[in-house]
Every structure is written in structure tokens, then in C-alpha cells.
Amino acid sequence: MTTIVRNHHVLAVPSVAASAKFYTSVMGFREVLAIDGWRFVARDNCVFMLGECLDALPVQELGDHSYVVCLVVDDAEAYLSAMQEVGVELTQGLADKPWRMREFGIRTPDGHRIMIGQGLD
């Protein structure tokens, strides 16, 4: 069977410049590509492809409860502390979950929700 070697998360955003700034200055990503209407940001093995979609329905209006991604880190408490220091909006506080993750949730300025967790194994 074919091996998945990495994944990219594609997000529709109203401003690629503003969104890329959040990921790079707040979440510790680096910009790896900027082309017309797109910014790619990466950190470790994670890539977000930010596409400027001015006519997209704002994420807050979608009416669902899904999260765009769950980032698994080696120290959830440290990452939470870093997010709190810069005033990132939390959607969930740090908690141990029955699926063996210690995790918390954030909301990006665009309204995308991201879970950040650490395995409890």
C-alpha cells in the first residue's frame, strides 16, 4: 500500500498576509512559500497552506463543531503557556482526555479551531 509521507492542511482565509503573520509570529511557524493568493507556513512536520478566499463563508458561520487539525506536541503545557503569553483565544483549557491525550484548543484570528495535545502514553 502507498505510504503517506506528510500532510498539508489547506485553510481558506480572508487575508493570507494576516494569517501567515499569526502562524509565524504567534505559533512558531516559518513561511516557506508565498505565491499569488497563497502562503505556506511550516513548523517541524506540519504545513498549513493558507489560501486567500475573499468570498468564502467566514469559519464562525459554518455552524459545525469540528476542528481543523490536532497538532501533537511533546509538551502541551509549554505550548499552552506560550499561547497564553501572547493572548491567543482558548476554546478549551488543558485537560486529560479519555483518548489518552492532554490537550487544549485555540481559535485563530480567522476563526479556525485547532487542538494542541500531547500523548499520555
Side-chain angles (χ1 to χ4, degrees):
M1 182 172 222
T2 303
T3 301
I4 297 172
V5 295
R6 74 175 159 269
N7 59 63
H8 293 180
H9 308 284
V10 183
L11 302 179
V13 299
S15 167
V16 292
S19 294
K21 183 177 180 181
F22 172 78
Y23 284 91
T24 56
S25 65
V26 174
M27 294 192 68
F29 283 70
R30 70 187 189 295
E31 189 171 293
V32 295
L33 180 64
I35 54 177
D36 290 338
W38 288 91
R39 299 281 174 92
F40 289 37
V41 295
R43 178 175 174 173
D44 305 318
N45 294 313
C46 180
V47 175
F48 283 97
M49 301 166 60
L50 308 172
E52 194 162 82
C53 298
L54 301 176
D55 60 348
L57 187 65
V59 176
Q60 300 90 321
E61 295 178 21
L62 294 177
D64 65 19
H65 299 283
S66 64
Y67 285 80
V68 69
V69 68
C70 179
L71 303 178
V72 180
V73 299
D74 60 357
D75 189 341
E77 290 179 38
Y79 208 158
L80 172 59
S81 178
M83 296 294 96
Q84 289 175 315
E85 285 179 18
V86 293
V88 171
E89 179 186 351
L90 295 180
T91 59
Q92 293 183 35
L94 188 66
D96 292 352
K97 301 294 184 174
W99 45 88
R100 310 254 337 116
M101 292 287 289
R102 174 171 290 135
E103 60 187 34
F104 65 95
I106 67 167
R107 186 182 322 274
T108 71
D110 298 315
H112 294 286
R113 294 179 293 169
I114 297 174
M115 294 304 292
I116 300 170
Q118 173 183 350
L120 291 173
D121 297 331

